[in-house]
Amino acid sequence: MNAQTLRLVIQLGFGLAGLGAVAVIAPPYGPTLGLFLVVVGLWLGRRVFRRTARLEESKADLRQRLEKGKADLRRRLDEGP
């Protein structure tokens, strides 16, 4: 399992746990716990990715993000105001 897949699994797991907390636990504790779990999952996923990713994986991830950003910018500019 490469670093990007591991990051996705961690973030999805914490996201689903947060959603479950919002659905099961009564307000105001459920939404608070859900938000906390989502934020921790995003942070932990990024932290694990930075530790386990090899240089090639990090470069590929940055290239992928750059290309996605360029494509989004082109699409927005083509749509116009």
Side-chain angles (χ1 to χ4, degrees):
M1 181 181 293
N2 65 11
Q4 196 169 15
T5 305
L6 184 60
R7 177 178 62 181
L8 178 67
V9 167
I10 290 170
Q11 290 176 345
L12 281 177
F14 273 88
L16 290 174
L19 185 63
V22 170
V24 173
I25 301 173
Y29 303 110
T32 304
L33 179 61
L35 179 65
F36 177 75
L37 286 172
V38 168
V39 170
V40 167
L42 291 173
W43 174 80
L44 185 63
R46 183 174 182 212
R47 183 101 170 144
V48 167
F49 177 77
R50 292 180 123 200
R51 270 209 192 262
T52 60
R54 294 185 305 264
L55 181 60
E56 297 83 24
E57 288 177 319
S58 295
K59 285 182 179 179
D61 183 59
L62 290 173
R63 278 191 212 105
Q64 179 184 7
R65 290 178 186 214
L66 181 66
E67 290 301 319
K68 184 176 184 269
K70 284 181 181 178
D72 288 344
L73 181 61
R74 284 188 200 119
R75 183 179 47 84
R76 288 181 187 164
L77 289 175
D78 288 342
E79 289 175 359

